[in-house]
Amino acid sequence: MNSAALLSHQVLIETIRSSRSQKKVIELIDAALRSFYTEAPDGSFIFLKSLRSELSTIDPIEVADPEEWNLIQFARIYLHRLMERRPAAL
């Protein structure tokens, strides 16, 4: 994965962590996926997988705010659901 993709992942993860609702998390992920899919349709599954992987590396002990942790977990679940549906859509 190139450095621009890693940077966009980090920005997206920080934005997810600072959002305050599941609806906002869905909007953020969907917008990022639409943007990524437009640029590299074949890489959208890789994008989803790597973003979910990065979210999975976050240590819950280091997350002070319980709501923030809930949103991180929600994002991981949402990404997993998208990954399950994505291969059929390609």
Side-chain angles (χ1 to χ4, degrees), residues 10-22 24-25 28-29 54-77:
Q10 291 305 317
V11 170
L12 182 56
I13 289 170
E14 289 306 315
T15 307
I16 288 169
R17 292 180 74 160
S18 64
S19 66
R20 288 293 158 212
S21 72
Q22 291 180 352
K24 184 65 176 173
V25 169
L28 291 166
I29 292 171
E54 287 182 49
L55 284 168
S56 295
T57 63
I58 298 172
D59 185 355
I61 300 296
E62 295 177 7
V63 180
D65 181 10
E67 182 58 29
E68 180 182 341
W69 179 244
N70 286 337
L71 292 172
I72 292 167
Q73 290 180 302
F74 175 78
R76 290 171 44 196
I77 292 166

Side-chain angles (χ1 to χ4, degrees), residues 1-39:
M1 181 176 301
N2 65 30
S3 59
L6 286 174
L7 179 61
S8 66
H9 278 180
Q10 291 305 317
V11 170
L12 182 56
I13 289 170
E14 289 306 315
T15 307
I16 288 169
R17 292 180 74 160
S18 64
S19 66
R20 288 293 158 212
S21 72
Q22 291 180 352
K23 182 179 178 183
K24 184 65 176 173
V25 169
I26 290 171
E27 290 171 1
L28 291 166
I29 292 171
D30 287 349
L33 185 57
R34 273 191 306 275
S35 168
F36 192 87
Y37 191 73
T38 301
E39 295 173 15

